[in-house]
Amino acid sequence: MAEILVVDDEQSIRVLLCAMLEKDGHSIDTAADGVEAIDLLRKKNYDLIITDLHMRRKTGIDVLQAVKQMDTFTEVVILTGYGSISSAVEAMQLGAFVYLTKPIDLQEFRLKVQQAIERRVLRKENVEQRKKLQEHREMLERDLQLSEQVQRSIIPSPVSTEHFEVALSYMPAIGVGGDFSDVYYNDAGDVYLTVVDVTGHGIAAALLVNRVCMEIRRLVREQLEPSSILYQLNDFIVDSFMGTGMFLTMFSCVLNYKTGSLRYSGSAHPPLILWRNESNRFETLEAQNIIIGFDKLEQNSFQQDTTIIRPGDKLFLYTDGVIEIENAENRPLGINGFIDMLRSVIFLETNAVLENAVQSIKQYSPHSQRDDIYLIVMNLK
């Protein structure tokens, strides 16, 4: 049922239309001219106005303009004689739904009334849906901003001591992402470095990263061996997130700056890059283990290796977003390409190496960033 106002200075027309519309189940008010109609509009909201175009006091155009000022959703059907087609077209330009010529074809009239009512409903629903979508979008933006703040809060600070330096850069693809790192050192001379890449991007990956962050930091603060950290983290991921399709690759290493011993263990992650200062030579330290979170494994399934780092050497940990960026010819940078980037800046200070590497990575690709990028540079003094 719709609330309808019929406006016509001919009583016979008002009676005819009122009877027919009431028979169709609508609630009807009538007005004998535009002045009465506008007065009723100020007191009540209508779904549909049916108005004659030419009346003695205020025209149908006046009624139409008053309606659109009060409620843009109210539809207006204009009734006019054959000699007033140009005025009816003007009414359409001002927002009328349709104009019908007299004498009225009652079947067509009933059809147009129904269509006008349906359009009002659809227009209101569309506006309400757009409003809900806007509110939802604003809520998501607030959530994303909060997620960004939370994720920024877990990014380690750069470290510079008399024994070593650590500089790092994180560039998520879409505000928040699935990459994470941790830096921890103790009085015994052990420096723990961890880099993690969770499958996926965005808020879902960021939520998992935040939970993984707490677990990794707990394991690292227990000063476990790198392979033990991977083993226990794998158990945690399988127990907590099995069936979600969430996996992660990672590297965990511990350097004792007093002895130069570097113990490292990786799971399906791009290799560490080690630059030897004395020989000006780059080495890659490969991951030894399968992806984290795929299945439960025995502790002895996780392997680790050891190498020696000397003063002046630099160690690079990174996620695959670095080596998978593509240039204008869609050619990935790759590990060798990344090493070539580092060659020209490797003798600079640690922070300068990081800044130049990040700038070169950005310049390499003309495409928008498709993956999260994490880069850590460590220098043993």
Side-chain angles (χ1 to χ4, degrees):
M1 182 186 76
E3 295 285 345
I4 300 176
L5 174 61
V6 175
V7 188
D8 201 297
D9 54 5
E10 293 185 41
Q11 184 178 5
S12 60
I13 296 293
R14 296 198 305 272
V15 171
L16 172 65
L17 297 183
C18 184
M20 183 175 60
L21 293 169
E22 285 179 340
K23 184 178 179 181
D24 289 340
H26 302 298
S27 176
I28 311 300
D29 289 333
T30 62
D33 56 39
V35 172
E36 287 185 20
I38 293 172
D39 186 54
L40 286 172
L41 288 171
R42 294 191 181 102
K43 300 174 182 177
K44 183 176 179 179
N45 293 325
Y46 292 95
D47 301 310
L48 175 63
I49 310 298
I50 301 169
T51 179
D52 190 19
L53 185 58
H54 294 293
M55 295 176 288
R56 287 186 296 274
R57 296 195 308 162
K58 297 285 186 182
T59 67
I61 295 293
D62 296 324
V63 174
L64 171 62
Q65 291 175 328
V67 168
K68 295 304 179 182
Q69 288 176 359
M70 296 178 190
D71 185 352
T72 58
F73 293 112
T74 300
E75 297 292 350
V76 178
V77 172
I78 298 291
L79 305 179
T80 183
Y82 281 110
S84 304
I85 299 301
S86 60
S87 297
V89 171
E90 178 190 359
M92 295 291 292
Q93 294 172 341
L94 292 173
F97 174 70
V98 71
Y99 71 87
L100 300 174
T101 57
K102 297 179 180 179
I104 300 170
D105 181 326
L106 296 183
Q107 184 174 355
E108 181 186 17
F109 173 78
R110 296 176 74 176
L111 175 63
K112 295 302 181 183
V113 165
Q114 186 61 34
Q115 290 176 344
I117 293 169
E118 290 174 354
R119 191 174 86 152
R120 170 183 164 81
V121 171
L122 288 175
R123 288 173 61 213
K124 289 196 71 173
E125 288 178 350
N126 286 339
V127 169
E128 290 171 0
Q129 287 297 322
R130 285 197 297 269
K131 182 180 178 181
K132 289 179 180 178
L133 286 173
Q134 180 62 28
E135 291 173 350
H136 185 62
R137 185 180 297 110
E138 291 173 355
M139 181 184 70
L140 288 177
E141 288 175 354
R142 289 193 298 270
D143 289 347
L144 183 59
Q145 290 174 357
L146 178 59
S147 298
E148 290 176 12
Q149 291 176 352
V150 170
Q151 195 155 51
R152 282 195 297 269
S153 72
I154 65 174
I155 297 175
S157 300
V159 179
S160 181
T161 74
E162 61 179 315
H163 304 291
F164 68 93
E165 289 179 311
V166 177
L168 50 89
S169 175
Y170 178 44
M171 295 178 287
I174 53 173
V176 293
D179 291 1
F180 161 75
S181 75
D182 184 54
V183 180
Y184 172 75
Y185 57 99
N186 58 29
D187 294 337
D190 291 322
V191 183
Y192 289 81
L193 298 175
T194 306
V195 63
V196 175
D197 187 353
V198 173
T199 55
H201 314 293
I203 293 178
L207 288 172
L208 181 57
V209 160
N210 292 339
R211 183 63 187 92
V212 168
C213 164
M214 292 187 289
E215 189 66 17
I216 288 177
R217 287 181 172 172
R218 181 185 70 80
L219 297 172
V220 168
R221 272 60 174 175
E222 291 180 6
Q223 302 180 34
L224 301 178
E225 287 297 304
S227 60
S228 294
I229 292 174
L230 268 60
Y231 162 70
Q232 294 201 31
L233 185 64
N234 183 70
D235 268 7
F236 167 75
I237 295 295
V238 171
D239 289 340
S240 302
F241 300 102
M242 176 65 80
T244 64
M246 302 296 280
F247 308 100
L248 59 88
T249 71
M250 67 177 293
F251 242 111
S252 179
C253 59
V254 54
L255 168 68
N256 186 281
Y257 58 74
K258 295 179 180 180
T259 65
S261 171
L262 175 71
R263 306 186 301 280
Y264 61 93
S265 184
S267 282
H269 199 83
L272 306 180
I273 296 175
L274 174 60
W275 177 70
R276 303 285 189 183
N277 180 40
E278 287 187 2
S279 59
N280 187 21
R281 181 168 55 88
F282 285 90
E283 299 177 8
T284 57
L285 308 179
E286 301 291 337
Q288 312 94 327
N289 308 294
I290 67 170
I291 197 166
I292 296 290
F294 182 73
D295 200 1
K296 287 265 191 175
L297 296 171
E298 298 295 329
Q299 183 165 2
N300 59 13
S301 298
F302 287 88
Q303 305 299 313
Q304 71 178 45
D305 292 299
T306 303
T307 190
I308 298 297
I309 291 185
R310 304 187 186 282
D313 291 353
K314 290 185 174 72
L315 183 66
F316 297 86
L317 294 81
Y318 55 96
T319 54
D320 59 8
V322 172
I323 57 176
E324 291 179 357
I325 59 167
E326 297 178 348
N327 62 10
E329 288 76 38
N330 296 320
R331 181 168 60 87
L333 176 62
I335 295 174
N336 291 333
F338 182 41
I339 290 175
D340 288 340
M341 279 184 179
L342 297 175
R343 290 185 193 280
S344 61
V345 298
I346 197 65
F347 290 102
L348 299 177
E349 296 295 326
T350 306
N351 286 327
V353 171
L354 177 72
E355 292 170 3
N356 280 272
V358 169
Q359 188 63 30
S360 296
I361 290 168
K362 291 179 178 178
Q363 292 175 350
Y364 182 81
S365 177
H367 310 297
S368 58
Q369 187 178 329
R370 300 170 184 171
D371 197 1
D372 305 326
I373 292 176
Y374 222 124
L375 176 58
I376 305 169
V377 184
M378 178 180 181
N379 176 45
L380 182 61
K381 294 182 179 179

